[in-house]
Amino acid sequence: MMSPNPSSLLDAEDFRRAARRYLPRVLFDYMDRGSEQETALRQGRAALDRLRIVPSVLNDVNTLDLSCTVLGKTLPTPLIVAPTAIAGMIRPGGEARIATAAARSGIPVCLATQSIVPIETVVRAAPGNVWFQLYVWRDRRKMLDLVARVKAAGVETLVVTVDTAVQPLRHYNRRNGFSMGFRATPRSLLDIATHPIWTWLALLRPLLHGRGIPGFPHYPEDLRPTVLKPVQDPSVRLAHDVTWSDIEHLRTVWKGKLVIKGLLSVEDVVRARRLGADGIVVSTHGGRNLDSAPPIVDVLPGLVAESGNMTVIADSGIRQGSDVFKLLALGADAVMIGRLPLYGLAAEGTRGVERVLTMLLEELRVTMGLSGQASLSGLGPENLLQSTFPD
């Protein structure tokens, strides 16, 4: 496969197409698609598109301010890279590449529990700029050992994902032979064989250099799964009995910033606030979990109203700068982006991540200028209009 012409990669769909050409279908589908009938994925996008921006003209937009306050700190942009599993299988060292690219723009990166690159390596690539996403394992002691490791690495912000009480149904993963562990089938082997550049970079070259089969380094060493062997030991599988008492205990153990990811109801936001969470992420898990979940734009204003002093981050489905503008106007303090950095990583490695982030920020600046808004702090629901056009 020929490398994409950089001049042809101008928007999210350009990078998405380049990623689809480079990656085997098993990986592309895993990062790109939703769950079940993919209703939440489609409707989340449609809800964002229905929101229209009402411009205010004859305002001075010569200087645009993209800064915002997140968890008590001033950030130069409202972007945060969301936790995404197995970025290191897209390009070797993928998570560290993303962190390096994001740090150049002052954009925090949240590393996933199921990353391929360990937290220590990613922190070295972007010191002071890395958060960590935590899943609650069945064995809470092993989970707390990981929390201690994350703290020792210098991480100050812990993001606990709470919207995956059971494994969601992603039918394409089953068809492709993938479920956090690759299953060799004639179809999947042919898929890999027809993507030789990815196969060489992600599989063969690491093997030739003695690095072995990529694995998941945040699991206990004696129980560590690899991309060819899914999680076997029940103690480090996702817990099905996660409750607010787990959050309460983590709040006593973790002295840094604590963020809860995956909230969509007012009641849950109130509980999070009362338990002392520093922030929440309003998220449908990118349309990858509950397929009947509401679009985040439908619930975000009500959740912001109950958030108190917590930072509110919006996540799921962001594809362009105007999406960022809309979510901030609905009350979010910042937004998380997941798929876009992965598209960039697949298309052009570290340079692709940089270009995707630059693209998104340029789109945001253009949206602000054309809407007559010089500062993100001035955005509000009065800047938006619900379209009456049919879907």
Side-chain angles (χ1 to χ4, degrees):
M1 184 201 76
M2 297 294 292
S3 297
N5 179 358
S7 64
S8 69
L9 302 178
L10 300 177
D11 63 14
E13 188 58 30
D14 291 337
F15 281 95
R16 180 177 179 272
R17 284 193 292 263
R20 185 168 54 190
R21 290 192 298 269
Y22 167 73
L23 290 171
R25 180 172 180 173
V26 61
L27 267 183
F28 180 79
D29 280 359
Y30 175 79
M31 77 172 186
D32 186 66
R33 298 187 62 181
S35 62
E36 298 188 37
Q37 303 305 308
E38 301 183 281
T39 304
L41 188 65
R42 290 193 307 273
Q43 291 188 352
R45 179 69 257 164
L48 275 166
D49 288 337
R50 281 196 302 270
L51 281 178
R52 313 311 295 162
I53 297 171
V54 181
S56 176
V57 299
L58 297 177
N59 293 321
D60 183 357
V61 291
N62 185 57
T63 302
L64 299 176
D65 181 11
L66 300 188
S67 66
C68 64
T69 300
V70 174
L71 301 174
K73 291 185 177 180
T74 299
L75 299 181
T77 86
L79 303 184
I80 301 163
V81 176
T84 50
I86 65 169
M89 285 304 297
I90 294 174
R91 299 267 182 176
E95 290 89 358
R97 288 171 179 258
I98 290 173
T100 298
R104 290 170 183 162
S105 297
I107 297 171
V109 170
C110 187
L111 186 67
T113 292
Q114 294 169 326
S115 68
I116 300 296
V117 179
I119 181 63
E120 295 83 0
T121 301
V122 178
V123 167
R124 285 195 296 270
N129 210 54
V130 181
W131 302 1
F132 190 82
Q133 174 267 332
L134 181 74
Y135 278 119
V136 178
W137 290 336
R138 296 181 186 180
D139 188 326
R140 304 305 201 268
R141 291 173 299 175
K142 290 184 172 66
M143 180 202 71
L144 290 175
D145 287 343
L146 175 57
V147 171
R149 176 181 168 185
V150 167
K151 180 181 179 181
V155 172
E156 297 179 355
T157 300
L158 187 69
V159 179
V160 186
T161 297
V162 296
D163 62 355
T164 314
V166 298
Q167 286 289 347
L169 294 175
R170 299 170 187 162
H171 302 310
Y172 50 87
N173 280 343
R174 296 182 180 182
R175 294 188 183 102
N176 293 336
F178 182 83
S179 181
M180 294 312 294
F182 177 77
R183 186 177 73 252
T185 66
R187 175 177 175 174
S188 60
L189 292 175
L190 178 62
D191 183 23
I192 288 175
T194 54
H195 294 81
I197 297 178
W198 176 86
T199 301
W200 167 249
L201 292 176
L203 292 181
L204 298 181
R205 190 164 69 175
L207 285 173
L208 289 174
H209 284 78
R211 292 194 289 270
I213 301 297
F216 299 95
H218 297 128
Y219 288 76
E221 188 171 359
D222 57 334
L223 304 175
R224 193 164 292 170
T226 71
V227 296
L228 296 182
K229 182 187 74 173
V231 175
Q232 301 290 333
D233 193 283
S235 67
V236 290
R237 291 178 180 165
L238 297 188
H240 295 172
D241 59 346
V242 183
T243 68
W244 287 102
S245 63
D246 288 291
I247 302 299
E248 188 172 12
H249 184 57
L250 279 169
R251 180 67 286 180
T252 64
V253 171
W254 182 262
K255 302 307 180 183
K257 300 296 184 182
L258 182 66
V259 178
I260 305 177
K261 182 176 183 289
L263 301 189
L264 292 170
S265 79
V266 168
E267 293 80 5
D268 287 342
V269 171
V270 171
R271 291 288 296 270
R273 188 186 73 223
R274 290 175 178 170
L275 285 178
D278 299 290
I280 61 170
V281 182
V282 180
S283 172
T284 65
H285 216 103
R288 293 164 52 79
N289 278 10
L290 179 63
D291 198 28
S292 295
I296 57 171
V297 300
D298 290 352
V299 299
L300 182 58
L303 304 191
V304 169
E306 295 293 338
S307 63
N309 293 325
M310 294 189 299
T311 290
V312 178
I313 302 167
D315 167 75
S316 298
I318 289 92
R319 295 290 294 273
Q320 55 204 21
S322 58
D323 296 340
V324 177
F325 182 104
K326 293 171 184 178
L327 293 172
L328 297 177
L330 289 174
D333 297 301
V335 301
M336 275 186 166
I337 51 171
R339 290 181 176 94
L340 282 176
L342 298 182
Y343 295 155
L345 180 67
E348 296 185 298
T350 307
R351 172 62 176 158
V353 179
E354 290 179 0
R355 292 189 60 206
V356 160
L357 296 175
T358 299
M359 173 197 76
L360 193 59
L361 291 173
E362 180 185 16
E363 292 171 348
L364 176 58
R365 290 187 183 96
V366 169
T367 302
M368 290 174 64
L370 293 177
S371 64
Q373 302 297 322
S375 171
L376 298 181
S377 61
L379 302 187
E382 65 276 7
N383 301 123
L384 302 176
L385 178 70
Q386 188 76 235
S387 172
T388 57
F389 285 104
D391 293 340

